[in-house]
Structures are given as C-alpha cells and as structure tokens.
Amino acid sequence: LLGLHPYDASKSCADLLARMFAHTYGLPVAVTRCANLYGPGDPSRSRIVPATMLSLIRGERPIIRSDGSPLRDYLFVRDAVGAYLALAQAVAEGPAAGRAYNIGTGVPVSVLELVKQIVAVSGVDLPPEVQNTASGEIVHQYLDVRRAAEEIGWRATTPLAEGLSATYTWYKSIHDRHS
C-alpha cells in the first residue's frame, strides 16, 4: 500500500477506500490483489504471455525485455473467476467483507521460465531474445495466498502448463482464422 508511482498509488487508494466503506458504512465489499492474469481473450500485445505467443505463431523469436530473472505469479483467468465467485459468496455471508485477499498461485516463476514453458507448449522451437533493456521493474512480485485458502476456501487449480496450452490454442485459432 505504498504506491510510489501513479498506477501503484491509484491501486493503494482504491484498496483503502473500499475497506473504509466496508468498515464505516457496512458496504459488502472486499479487495482483491490479483497476480498477473493470463488466458484466452487478452488483446494486449504489451503483456508477456500474449506477446510471446503471438511472436511464436508468427515464427518470430519471443522478446524478453528484462534479463529474464524477475519472478512473478501467473494466474489463469478461469482461476481468477473462481476466486471472484468464492469471494462474492464469502462477502454475502459476511466474514470476508472489508478484508483484502491476494489472489494467485503463490508460486513464483521467472520470466525466462515462463517464456520457456510457452515455447514448449507451442511446439515452435525458437529461443527467446533476452534484451535486458527493461528498467524500473519490480524484481520479485508474487503473492502470499494463504488467507484466500483459509478464509474463503479458494485455491488456484490450473497448472501453468495447462493454462498456457489452452491460451496458446486460443491465440493460434484466432490467428489461423484471420490468416
């Protein structure tokens, strides 16, 4: 909650305001702090999963802007939906209102390992180009998800390789339809 950049600060403010409204006015809200979401339907080519998959589909080497070592938590979109549904039920029943929950796998994966897994599920043998030009990135960003498991009974269930495979299949089908 110590946002030092505009995006971070806006997230911190929204978090604090939501919890304040729950506490002060009894508003049935809770806060989610999600890991990096990925899955079918993501149109953003600036995110690592879509960008890597689209590069491979076009027969191009995927680009890693960092040195590949930053650790992240990657959450399949279907698991995120399950978390939101579980949290909505817990808020409606009362105990989760006004609380904040980290939603993720709790398993850190390096950017390089993520790209290698995408290459593996794609079946396209193109090694990534590690540019090491990124600056100002948070080096390690992953979540402690124990509260979500303990209080709302939710855990991510989709293994990374399975989620990446489903996502790659979707991007490939969209690309093939438009080729």
Side-chain angles (χ1 to χ4, degrees), residues 37-107:
L37 295 176
Y38 73 94
D42 184 352
S44 177
R45 295 176 183 201
S46 66
R47 285 194 276 277
I48 188 132
V49 172
T52 300
M53 291 184 175
L54 291 169
S55 291
L56 292 167
I57 289 166
R58 292 189 302 262
E60 301 167 0
R61 289 178 65 191
I63 303 294
I64 296 177
R65 295 184 306 247
S66 69
D67 66 358
S69 67
L71 297 174
R72 300 286 185 266
D73 187 342
Y74 298 96
L75 181 66
F76 190 54
V77 66
R78 181 176 53 222
D79 286 331
V81 170
Y84 279 106
L85 292 172
L87 185 54
Q89 182 176 347
V91 168
E93 293 169 358
R99 307 239 0 171
Y101 294 89
N102 293 334
I103 305 298
T105 66
V107 178

Side-chain angles (χ1 to χ4, degrees), residues 55-56 58-62 115 119 122-129:
S55 291
L56 292 167
R58 292 189 302 262
E60 301 167 0
R61 289 178 65 191
V115 171
V119 169
S122 76
V124 178
D125 191 20
L126 289 172
E129 178 184 330

